[in-house]
Amino acid sequence: MVERLICLLIGYVCGLFQTSYIYGRAHGIDIRNYGSGNAGTTNALRTLGAKAGAITFLGDCFKCVIAVLIVRVIFGNSHQDIIRLLGLYAAAGTILGHNFPFYLKFRGGKGIAATAGLLISFDWRISLAALIVFLIVFLTTHYVSLGSLLVYVVFLAGLACLGQMGAFGMEASALHEMYILAFLLAVLAFYKHRANIGRLLHGNENKTYLKKKK
């Protein structure tokens, strides 16, 4: 249990690197006072432009990857049998740090870019499936929120399928723990997107375009 708490803490510290907030401050604004008020990729894109959106996504994505790599370096030899599970705890900590940074009065982002980092560091098959689904949904509907939520559906489905097929080489108890943790992350994502879900249901969700409409 101690190693799990350590992984959560490592992730949380990494998650405190609020890319959009830092980028916004460098340009004289608090990103949380503009647009949707969210310190994440989509709001950075809409408020500060494509460059800001790209930088925010990469920063928030790779802080999760870095957290997982740190955990693998620390526990790779001593806990090889559950290293994927510990990596997931590190990713969960990163998402929590991103969503609820203590120094910003717990007003952060929604954790989707950090989740991309989770997928990259977890399993390439799930990552590829999630990317394909996101791109199809986003390019056809231009709803980032819908694509983001479906990424979690793909993650949970892929995790369960590969886990039950023995792809992770973990004991049943650790595997079930991983399922529960992944499910809780999905619940958090849906909770953070509750306003978006309401707008989607009412047909007035904001659309995002990579290029400005003429």
Side-chain angles (χ1 to χ4, degrees):
M1 181 57 68
V2 174
E3 65 274 3
R4 289 161 171 77
L5 293 176
I6 292 173
C7 293
L8 277 172
L9 180 60
I10 290 171
Y12 186 83
V13 171
C14 290
L16 293 177
F17 185 86
Q18 293 287 322
T19 313
S20 67
Y21 177 79
I22 294 170
Y23 187 95
R25 280 302 189 189
H27 290 76
I29 69 167
D30 183 340
I31 189 71
R32 299 171 305 159
N33 294 329
Y34 294 83
S36 66
N38 180 58
T41 300
T42 304
N43 197 34
L45 174 64
R46 290 172 178 163
T47 304
L48 295 169
K51 179 181 177 181
I55 291 174
T56 297
F57 176 81
L58 291 173
D60 290 345
C61 173
F62 283 100
K63 68 186 179 187
C64 187
V65 173
I66 290 171
V68 173
L69 289 177
I70 292 173
V71 164
R72 287 181 179 175
V73 169
I74 296 174
F75 296 107
N77 292 326
S78 59
H79 294 76
Q80 185 59 44
D81 56 327
I82 59 168
I83 196 61
R84 283 184 183 271
L85 174 61
L86 295 182
L88 187 58
Y89 271 101
T94 306
I95 292 169
L96 290 174
H98 176 77
N99 290 359
F100 309 106
F102 73 90
Y103 68 98
L104 295 179
K105 299 181 179 179
F106 303 99
R107 286 180 57 208
K110 297 179 181 178
I112 298 303
T115 298
L118 183 164
L119 294 172
I120 289 172
S121 59
F122 192 83
D123 186 277
W124 70 268
R125 292 161 292 189
I126 298 176
S127 300
L128 181 60
L131 176 62
I132 291 172
V133 168
F134 177 83
L135 288 176
I136 291 174
V137 172
F138 173 66
L139 293 176
T140 55
T141 69
H142 298 286
Y143 291 139
V144 174
S145 57
L146 180 59
S148 300
L149 292 173
L150 288 178
V151 162
Y152 262 103
V153 175
V154 172
F155 175 52
L156 290 175
L159 186 68
C161 289
L162 291 176
Q164 294 307 114
M165 290 169 59
F168 304 135
M170 296 168 57
E171 293 184 358
S173 58
L175 200 59
H176 294 157
E177 184 180 348
M178 188 163 65
Y179 294 160
I180 292 171
L181 182 56
F183 177 76
L184 291 176
L185 288 176
V187 170
L188 176 61
F190 274 76
Y191 172 77
K192 292 291 287 184
H193 283 82
R194 61 194 184 281
N196 304 84
I197 293 171
R199 290 193 295 268
L200 285 167
L201 292 175
H202 289 90
N204 58 358
E205 171 66 321
N206 296 320
K207 292 188 176 184
T208 300
Y209 298 88
L210 296 178
K211 294 182 179 180
K212 291 184 178 180
K213 297 179 69 178
K214 295 182 179 180

